[in-house]
Structure formats: C-alpha cells, structure tokens
C-alpha cells in the first residue's frame, strides 16, 4: 500500500502548479480551508486573483523544503479528510480522462489516495471509443440515434466483451498496481443491477435502463477496503444483456448507496452560464437553478442527460453532485479537497 507521503510527493503530484490551482485564496492554509462559502466567482476576478495566487504559491513552495511542503499539505487537508472520511463517493469515469494515459494515471492515483485517507470510492465506467475500435476491426457498422448507440445482438456481444473483459480489467489492474485493492464487476455480478429495455428499444435494440439496484455486493467490497470498478452492462430478469449509459448507472448506484457525492468526469469545464463562453463556469447551483437554465435553453446537447442524472440522484438522497473537468490532472482531488472544486457542484 502506498504511503500518503509518497502520493503527495510534489515532484509527482503537482496539485499547486499553475495548471491545476483552482482556489483563488492567497495563503496555503486557505487553499484547504473548509469554510462553508459558495464556490462561485466571476470569471474575470477569478482569473486575476488566480494568477496572483499562483505566483505567491510558487514562491511559498520554493521557499520550503519538499518535506515541509508535504507536511503542510497533509496538515491543511485534515478538515476535508475529516469531513469525507467513511463517506461513499461515486465517480463516473470517461471522456478525455479515459483516453489520455497521464489523465488515466491521475484518476487512478486520486482514487487510491482517497481510499488511503478513509473515503469509500466507487468507479463507474463506460468505454465508447474502445467499443467503436473493436466494431470497426470486425467490420460492424457503428450507428447512433439521438446520441445513443444502436445495439443489436452482435453489437451487444462486443459491448460486453470490451467493457467487462477489457476496459474493466485494465482499470482494476491499474488500481492494484497503484497500491490499492480493486474489484471489477458489472451489473450482473451479485445482481447489482437489473436492467429493463429503454422506451425506444425498438429503434435502439439492446439499450437499457436501470430497473433495480441491489448494492449488497458493493457494500461488502467497500467494507473490506476494496475499490469497486463497475462497468455499465446489466441483464434483465430473463438474462438478456443490455448496454446502459454509464452516467445513469453512476447516478443510480449513488442513490442506492446514499452516497455523499456523485462526480461525473467530462470533457468540459462544467455547466456554463453562456455555452459559447468557456470562462462563464457556474461553480455552484441548486436544482431549481439548473432546471431554470434547461428551460431557458442555456443547457443543451450532451450536458442535458448529465444534469438530469445529477438531479435524479439528488432527489433520491445524494448530498451533492458535481460535473467536473476531467481534462485537468487530479481533478478529483481538486473537487473533494478544495473549496472551489474543479467544475460545477449541484446541490439539493
């Protein structure tokens, strides 16, 4: 098992670099302060303060020894560790974070560190690009309707093979290699998920929804200190396999487990006030506010199902749901261990 010290080695874990510094506070102690304030800042003021903070933080880091830096980080992380220790965190993993080896390593190391300090993380994943690659190798046409994969019987076999047999086991291996103990499973294992056909199954084929969740097997794994890695494939009552959206699976698992936090890793900064302005990030919003944004058409495209997933999980008891920028290294730690996070946090 890796030590927290090794995981926080500043040469490998550059949380305070100019690329990853999110909290605009100047002092190192305020970076990890869990003060209950809103995370939202205007883009212009945030940028200028962040630049100043980055320069001052780099000066602070340069003035102390690596050993003292590690001790300071651990000491200042204590309030956040105390807040989340023993709490379940469900992370949906995909997008750029899955395609890039460096981002993949970042996510894995973040999960291991969170597990080391007492959190109970669960990783839920899809694997769209890998599925497409295999379908092309086998000369099977890739077809999408309304953003969902058309999944006939032959395609469903490939989906199961890739998600359960390839992507899942690779992630388990990476987590184990990083020093934790991971367990890979899909919805069929331990009857974790029971599927049902999607309403438009006649057009989409074996694309399903979550009909029921039995988290018993996950609870047992978490209680033993394992990190579960769940692929988004499940069967219905008759044993027919279905491909289910990974965001949906993550949200339903978070609700069934009474998770403290649901985190969706994406390829965007989060929810934007103006979809055409990447600097207009909304740091925190409630369900009422996000529904209003959807009604006004300010949230659209692929963000709609992600927001609906978050809203549904919050309505079922999850405390907070975040849509964060998976293109940032250590975005999970930024979201959990800092006030300003790494994207948009939706609250009930």
């Amino acid at each position: 098992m890796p030590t927290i010290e090794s995981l926080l080695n500043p040469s490998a874990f550059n949380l305070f670099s100019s690329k990853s510094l999110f909290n605009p506070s100047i002092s190192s102690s305020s970076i990890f302060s869990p003060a209950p304030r809103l995370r939202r800042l205007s883009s212009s003021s945030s940028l200028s303060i962040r630049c100043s903070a980055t320069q001052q933080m780099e000066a602070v880091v340069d003035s102390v020894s690596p050993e003292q830096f590690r001790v300071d980080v651990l000491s200042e992380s204590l309030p956040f560790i105390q807040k989340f220790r023993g709490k379940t965190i469900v992370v949906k993993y995909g997008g750029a974070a899955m395609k890039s080896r460096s981002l993949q390593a970042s996510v894995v190391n973040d999960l291991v560190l969170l597990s080391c300090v007492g959190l109970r993380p669960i990783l839920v994943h899809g694997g769209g690009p890998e599925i497409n690659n295999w379908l092309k190798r086998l000369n099977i046409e890739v077809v999408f309707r309304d953003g969902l994969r058309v999944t006939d019987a032959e395609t469903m076999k490939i989906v199961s093979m890739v998600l359960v047999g390839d992507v899942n086991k690779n992630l388990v291996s990476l987590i184990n290699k990083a020093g934790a103990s991971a367990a890979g499973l899909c919805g069929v294992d331990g009857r974790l998920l029971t599927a049902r056909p999607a309403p438009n199954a006649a057009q989409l084929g074996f694309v399903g929804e979550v009909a029921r969740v039995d988290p018993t097997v996950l609870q047992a794994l978490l209680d033993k200190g394992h990190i579960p890695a769940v692929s988004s494939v499940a069967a219905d009552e008759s044993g027919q396999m279905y491909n289910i959206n990974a965001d949906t699976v993550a949200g339903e698992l978070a609700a069934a487990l009474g998770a403290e936090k649901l985190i969706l890793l994406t390829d965007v900064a989060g929810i934007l006030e103006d979809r055409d302005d990447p600097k207009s990030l909304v740091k925190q919003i409630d369900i009422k506010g996000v529904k209003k944004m959807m009604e006004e058409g300010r949230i659209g495209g692929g963000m709609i199902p992600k927001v609906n997933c978050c809203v549904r999980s919050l309505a079922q008891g999850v405390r907070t749901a975040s849509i964060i920028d998976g293109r940032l290294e250590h975005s999970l730690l930024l979201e959990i261990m800092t006030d300003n996070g790494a994207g948009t946090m939706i609250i009930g």
Side-chain angles (χ1 to χ4, degrees):
M1 195 71 154
T3 64
I4 297 175
E5 178 179 318
S6 67
L7 286 168
L8 288 176
N9 188 322
S11 65
F13 174 57
N14 198 14
L15 178 59
F16 297 110
S17 71
S18 58
K19 289 194 300 181
S20 60
L21 181 63
F22 259 71
N23 193 316
S25 305
I26 301 302
S27 67
S28 60
S29 60
S30 61
I31 283 178
F32 283 99
S33 168
R37 63 175 182 271
L38 290 179
R39 296 162 57 175
R40 192 171 180 175
L41 290 171
S42 67
S43 298
S44 58
S45 62
S46 174
L47 179 61
S48 61
I49 295 173
R50 190 183 307 159
C51 291
S52 175
T54 299
Q55 293 169 354
Q56 295 194 34
M57 178 54 65
E58 288 175 346
V60 170
V61 172
D62 289 341
S63 67
V64 300
S65 68
E67 292 78 11
Q68 184 62 48
F69 177 78
R70 284 195 293 269
V71 170
D72 288 345
V73 170
L74 288 171
S75 175
E76 291 155 6
S77 299
L78 180 60
F80 290 95
I81 294 171
Q82 289 173 322
K83 177 182 178 181
F84 289 106
R85 183 173 177 82
K87 301 296 177 61
T88 299
I89 310 292
V90 178
V91 178
K92 188 271 180 170
Y93 173 59
M98 181 172 275
K99 300 171 190 173
S100 162
R101 287 190 178 183
S102 63
L103 291 176
Q104 188 177 67
S106 170
V107 171
V108 168
N109 286 334
D110 286 0
L111 287 169
V112 173
L113 191 150
L114 293 173
S115 180
C116 281
V117 298
L119 281 71
R120 292 155 59 95
I122 297 169
L123 185 68
V124 178
H125 68 86
E130 289 81 2
I131 294 170
N132 291 342
N133 289 339
W134 274 100
L135 290 174
K136 289 176 182 177
R137 286 188 193 182
L138 298 170
N139 295 318
I140 299 174
E141 185 180 6
V142 178
V143 180
F144 284 87
R145 288 202 181 108
D146 299 324
L148 296 174
R149 183 187 303 278
V150 176
T151 309
D152 59 17
E154 189 173 16
T155 301
M156 189 63 235
K157 290 180 181 179
I158 304 302
V159 169
S160 295
M161 178 188 76
V162 173
L163 293 186
V164 181
D166 183 13
V167 177
N168 186 268
K169 299 317 171 193
N170 181 54
L171 289 171
V172 169
S173 177
L174 289 172
I175 294 171
N176 288 342
K177 184 179 177 181
S181 174
L185 60 164
C186 69
V188 174
D189 298 308
R191 298 190 178 187
L192 173 60
L193 302 170
T194 301
R196 62 171 174 244
N200 48 353
Q203 292 76 40
L204 295 175
F206 297 109
V207 173
E209 298 178 339
V210 176
R212 188 170 62 252
V213 180
D214 181 353
T216 305
V217 65
L218 285 185
Q219 293 282 18
L221 291 170
L222 292 169
D223 291 344
K224 293 291 186 180
H226 300 294
I227 299 177
V230 183
S231 60
S232 55
V233 173
D236 64 12
E237 296 285 2
S238 70
Q240 172 60 54
M241 299 292 286
Y242 285 88
N243 181 22
I244 305 177
N245 179 274
D247 292 334
T248 300
V249 170
E252 294 300 319
L253 289 179
L257 290 161
E260 180 74 14
K261 200 168 185 63
L262 168 66
I263 301 176
L264 306 182
L265 291 170
T266 67
D267 288 345
V268 294
I271 297 174
L272 303 177
E273 284 276 8
D274 180 352
R275 281 190 283 170
D276 297 323
D277 181 6
K279 295 181 180 180
S280 63
L281 176 65
V282 176
K283 298 296 292 183
Q284 181 171 297
I285 191 169
D286 60 17
I287 291 177
K288 183 178 178 180
V290 82
K291 285 185 175 180
K292 183 179 178 182
M293 288 185 71
M294 285 194 289
E295 290 170 0
E296 295 171 348
R298 289 190 286 159
I299 295 176
M303 187 59 71
I304 292 176
K306 294 183 184 299
V307 169
N308 285 335
C309 166
C310 291
V311 169
R312 179 174 169 80
S313 68
L314 291 168
Q316 295 181 85
V318 177
R319 287 184 61 85
T320 66
S322 296
I323 300 172
I324 71 171
D325 194 343
R327 300 167 299 177
L328 294 170
E329 289 192 357
H330 301 294
S331 55
L332 284 179
L333 294 185
L334 284 165
E335 178 60 29
I336 294 170
M337 295 292 190
T338 69
D339 283 329
N340 277 304
T344 300
M345 184 168 73
I346 306 173
I347 59 176

